[in-house]
Amino acid sequence: CFWDYPMIELYGKTAGIIGLGRIGQATAKLLNALDMEVIAYDAHESEAGKKLAEYVSLDELFARSDVIFLHCPLFPATEGIINKENITKMKDGVVIINTSRGTNVDEDALLAALESGKVRSAGLDVYAEEPAKNHALYCHPMVSCTPHIGAATVEAQKRIGAEIVDIITNFKA
């Protein structure tokens, strides 16, 4: 029963977004509509991003966020960005949502933080190995998992197809 899991309200909480590109900005719009304070870390700050979130350092994002959303690509700087060291910088009871790249999260560190209560809960749509193999993490009672379906709707697939056609059409060798 869902009553076994105390819920939290997002209103008035601080949302930290790592990666304020197209998807991060769309997320920020939704979070602003929920009256959340939205802060973000991105290696490339943009004017569009500044209208949606306050840019902060990564350490400040970890310290201030009640919920952390990962919307960053996989680069050497982002691989394992959610790790044991960075989790210690986070608020107790933080919620982590990863819909970016599975290896942006050290799954063993996340599981340990869930077990200790440092991380309250996690939502995962991507995994270090796909199909997902970390049974202890994915079956944890405070983890909500989806099978990498973030862009699996019919509408999203049509948009992706149109975007690919545009890229090919506008390609200049």
Side-chain angles (χ1 to χ4, degrees):
C1 175
F2 73 94
W3 292 112
D4 294 337
Y5 304 100
M7 296 179 214
I8 61 168
E9 186 173 280
L10 296 177
Y11 173 83
K13 299 279 193 302
T14 300
I17 300 175
I18 301 174
L20 201 58
R22 184 174 48 88
I23 297 170
Q25 288 180 26
T27 301
K29 288 176 187 174
L30 294 171
L31 299 173
N32 281 315
L34 296 173
D35 281 333
M36 294 187 80
E37 176 185 8
V38 181
I39 60 176
Y41 172 79
D42 196 301
H44 307 286
E45 295 182 12
S46 70
E47 289 305 313
K50 289 178 183 177
K51 294 176 183 174
L52 298 168
E54 172 192 355
Y55 282 106
V56 297
S57 70
L58 193 55
D59 283 347
E60 186 174 347
L61 183 140
F62 290 143
R64 289 176 52 192
S65 298
D66 297 298
V67 184
I68 296 174
F69 296 83
L70 280 84
H71 292 298
C72 48
L74 182 59
F75 292 128
T78 60
E79 187 167 9
I81 198 165
I82 302 300
N83 58 37
K84 183 178 180 178
E85 177 186 346
N86 286 336
I87 289 171
T88 64
K89 299 173 185 176
M90 297 176 191
K91 286 183 173 183
D92 290 344
V94 67
V95 175
I96 297 173
I97 310 293
N98 186 18
T99 60
S100 61
R101 302 294 181 268
T103 53
N104 286 344
V105 173
D106 176 332
E107 293 180 348
D108 292 333
L110 177 58
L111 180 59
L114 285 159
E115 291 294 325
S116 74
K118 176 69 176 182
V119 172
R120 180 185 194 287
S121 58
L124 306 173
D125 185 56
V126 291
Y127 312 95
E129 292 182 273
E130 293 186 11
K133 294 187 172 90
N134 189 334
H135 186 76
L137 179 62
Y138 310 134
C139 292
H140 191 282
M142 297 307 290
V143 175
S144 178
C145 294
T146 51
H148 201 156
I149 59 170
T153 64
V154 170
E155 297 85 355
Q157 288 298 306
K158 286 181 182 178
R159 281 193 306 274
I160 290 167
E163 186 176 329
I164 290 169
V165 168
D166 286 345
I167 290 168
I168 293 169
T169 302
N170 295 318
F171 178 76
K172 294 181 175 43

